[in-house]
Amino acid sequence: DTAVSQTPKYLVTQMGNDKSIKCEQNLGHDTMYWYKQDSKKFLKIMFSYNNKELIINETVPNRFSPKSPDKAHLNLHINSLELGDSAVYFCASSQASGAGTQYFGPGTRLLVL
Amino acid sequence: SQELEQSPQSLIVQEGKNLTINCTSSKTLYGLYWYKQKYGEGLIFLMMLQKGGEEKSHEKITAKLDEKKQQSSLHITASQPSHAGIYLCGADLFPGNMLTFGGGTRLMVKP
């Protein structure tokens, strides 16, 4: 069973489009995260979210918004996609609220043309 | 500049050799995590260190956190091709357990 899953695995789209990436965890964790890994393999936090609190890395453009329909899901919605958004996006989760080991999904490779 | 510096950036070793990867910060590291990323895949959790001077081992991989909690090392003994990948250190520098990662160390093991 996959602990943290993401869909789609690959996403190719045009500039200006709006797209969503889905993440689901079956670990019963309270907190979920989104990270962005750029072409140089630098991995940077974007959001931390549990059902009580959203923490946003201040460098993330407001075109990016996390949406959580329930505790097991945290989707990433991106408006008006730009070329610089091309990257690999990783979802992760941890057990306690904002603490503990994070377990990562397989990543979604986004290419904006 | 990165808040977490990893060295070396890349490493090529002969199978059977030992190697060490370092992770350094100017800030105190709360909850230092080591992950491995296989090329084109997700991150696999290796070990977590929290206390100054702590050392953990799993199979042929040993991770240490120094007493000041500003530097960690990952040591692989008798490396194998299966050890190849990108090793990332991550630390809790933001509130809410949002990990800051180092730039990664790309390891290649030649058979």
Side-chain angles (χ1 to χ4, degrees):
Chain A
D1 288 341
T2 303
V4 183
S5 59
Q6 294 178 230
T7 55
K9 189 172 183 179
Y10 300 96
L11 182 56
V12 181
T13 188
Q14 298 286 335
M15 276 177 54
N17 285 349
D18 302 338
K19 290 293 179 183
S20 291
I21 305 172
K22 295 185 177 181
C23 177
E24 176 181 2
Q25 54 93 5
N26 62 8
L27 299 167
H29 286 172
D30 288 328
T31 307
M32 298 180 73
Y33 313 81
W34 277 105
Y35 290 84
K36 177 182 179 181
Q37 186 176 44
D38 62 24
S39 57
K40 295 182 180 179
K41 301 299 183 185
F42 290 130
L43 190 61
K44 294 184 179 178
I45 181 68
M46 300 177 72
F47 305 100
S48 163
Y49 182 81
N50 61 29
N51 59 4
K52 297 177 184 177
E53 187 177 24
L54 170 65
I55 300 176
I56 303 171
N57 184 333
E58 61 186 13
T59 66
V60 175
N62 58 15
R63 297 182 295 103
F64 290 78
S65 57
K67 299 186 189 301
S68 180
D70 55 57
K71 195 173 83 164
H73 297 83
L74 183 67
N75 303 325
L76 181 64
H77 190 75
I78 315 170
N79 289 327
S80 302
L81 278 156
E82 299 178 358
L83 295 177
D85 297 333
S86 296
V88 182
Y89 292 84
F90 287 99
C91 174
S93 70
S94 67
Q95 186 169 23
S97 289
T101 300
Q102 294 182 25
Y103 294 90
F104 283 74
T108 295
R109 287 142 188 84
L110 171 66
L111 178 60
V112 182
L113 302 175
Chain B
S1 63
Q2 292 282 96
E3 289 180 288
L4 278 183
E5 295 285 345
Q6 275 187 246
S7 62
Q9 290 186 354
S10 62
L11 191 56
I12 302 174
V13 299
Q14 198 69 39
E15 183 177 359
K17 295 294 185 183
N18 302 336
L19 63 105
T20 299
I21 299 168
N22 293 302
C23 177
T24 305
S25 174
S26 58
K27 301 179 180 179
T28 300
L29 304 173
Y30 299 100
L32 189 285
Y33 301 81
W34 282 101
Y35 288 87
K36 177 185 175 184
Q37 182 178 21
K38 291 186 178 181
Y39 296 106
E41 297 184 16
L43 277 70
I44 301 167
F45 170 71
L46 296 175
M47 276 174 275
M48 181 186 76
L49 304 166
Q50 285 187 306
K51 299 177 183 176
E54 187 175 7
E55 179 176 323
K56 288 186 178 178
S57 293
H58 176 68
E59 296 181 344
K60 296 185 178 180
I61 301 177
T62 300
K64 300 178 185 180
L65 182 62
D66 74 338
E67 290 288 345
K68 289 186 178 180
K69 295 173 63 175
Q70 288 184 309
Q71 183 173 358
S72 179
S73 62
L74 188 79
H75 184 77
I76 299 177
T77 304
S79 59
Q80 300 170 355
S82 60
H83 287 128
I86 301 172
Y87 288 83
L88 292 153
C89 66
D92 187 358
L93 299 178
F94 286 101
N97 197 36
M98 299 197 298
L99 296 181
T100 296
F101 281 90
T105 296
R106 292 146 186 78
L107 172 64
M108 188 178 299
V109 180
K110 296 196 294 185

